[in-house]
Amino acid sequence: MLVAITGTPGVGKSSVAEKLKEKGYKVEKLLNLALKHNCVIGEENGELVVDVEKLSEIRFDGIVEGHLSHFLKADKVVVLRCDPLVLKDRLIKRGWSFEKVMDNVEAELLDLILVEALEKNSEVYEIDVTNMDVEEVANVIEEIIKGKGEKFKPGKIDWLSKFADRIEEVARL
């Protein structure tokens, strides 16, 4: 079974993937798979560009972590979500530029990765990780893998409604 863990940069994908690896799961970073299967087609602004069409043909048995992993033909996709204000703070602490921070906050506000995941996959889940630690998130993903993830079906997280009257606060650094 292929399980994709995806989400906006800064939501905790790598930390959760590491915790699942510690628990004995076979886990691979998407970028490592892309490099191994010649899906990297260049570099832009210091980041590798991945051919998502070619990437979608890769078959892997285990968990793949990365913000493009929802483009794989996954059996289950788990989208990690985070309060945009918390996400903004995390990305600022990484030293990212204003433009890069705001692009990612906007993507989270607009459910961009969730929508892409739903367009490409039939079994998608979303977890609000804002107030969860890594162990808790890993435990929820284990439940989803075991087929017990009904309460994490998409549609319960709505950042736009939550921040409708505070959009200026979200947009300020």
Side-chain angles (χ1 to χ4, degrees):
M1 176 184 345
L2 172 59
V3 177
I5 299 175
T6 189
T8 308
V11 296
K13 298 177 300 294
S14 296
S15 299
V16 170
E18 191 58 40
K19 179 58 74 177
L20 290 165
K21 195 174 201 174
E22 288 172 15
K23 291 177 170 241
Y25 289 91
K26 181 180 175 183
V27 179
E28 187 72 63
K29 289 189 170 294
L30 178 100
L31 187 54
N32 292 344
L33 278 181
L35 288 166
K36 186 190 300 185
H37 294 278
N38 299 314
C39 296
V40 175
I41 55 175
E43 191 175 322
E44 188 176 300
N45 300 324
E47 294 185 18
L48 297 176
V49 177
V50 174
D51 179 344
V52 292
E53 287 297 319
K54 190 172 181 183
L55 180 71
S56 71
E57 299 304 317
I58 295 173
R59 286 306 301 162
F60 180 80
D61 188 29
I63 298 171
V64 177
E65 170 266 314
H67 79 276
L68 298 176
S69 64
H70 55 282
F71 287 106
L72 295 169
K73 292 179 180 160
D75 298 295
K76 296 176 190 257
V77 176
V78 179
V79 182
L80 303 185
R81 308 293 308 279
C82 184
D83 178 306
L85 289 175
V86 172
L87 182 64
K88 182 176 81 169
D89 290 342
R90 289 179 185 176
L91 299 179
I92 289 169
K93 286 178 184 168
R94 290 183 178 185
W96 287 17
S97 71
F98 173 79
E99 182 179 343
K100 191 171 179 179
V101 169
M102 295 317 295
D103 283 349
N104 284 285
V105 168
E106 180 182 8
E108 183 64 24
L109 270 169
L110 299 176
D111 306 330
L112 180 68
I113 291 181
L114 176 66
V115 170
E116 289 176 348
L118 289 166
E119 288 173 350
K120 299 282 183 189
N121 300 277
S122 59
E123 197 168 339
V124 178
Y125 303 87
E126 65 176 342
I127 305 169
D128 178 357
V129 301
T130 306
N131 297 310
M132 298 173 77
D133 65 29
V134 173
E135 182 78 32
E136 289 173 305
V137 178
N139 290 341
V140 169
I141 293 173
E142 282 187 295
E143 291 300 306
I144 290 168
I145 290 170
K146 294 174 184 172
K148 300 176 184 175
E150 280 304 309
K151 65 183 175 182
F152 297 99
K153 286 292 192 180
K156 295 179 183 81
I157 301 171
D158 182 2
W159 300 131
L160 280 178
S161 292
K162 178 179 180 181
F163 290 104
D165 58 343
R166 298 171 56 202
I167 210 70
E168 287 180 20
E169 180 183 351
V170 174
R172 248 189 342 262
L173 278 185

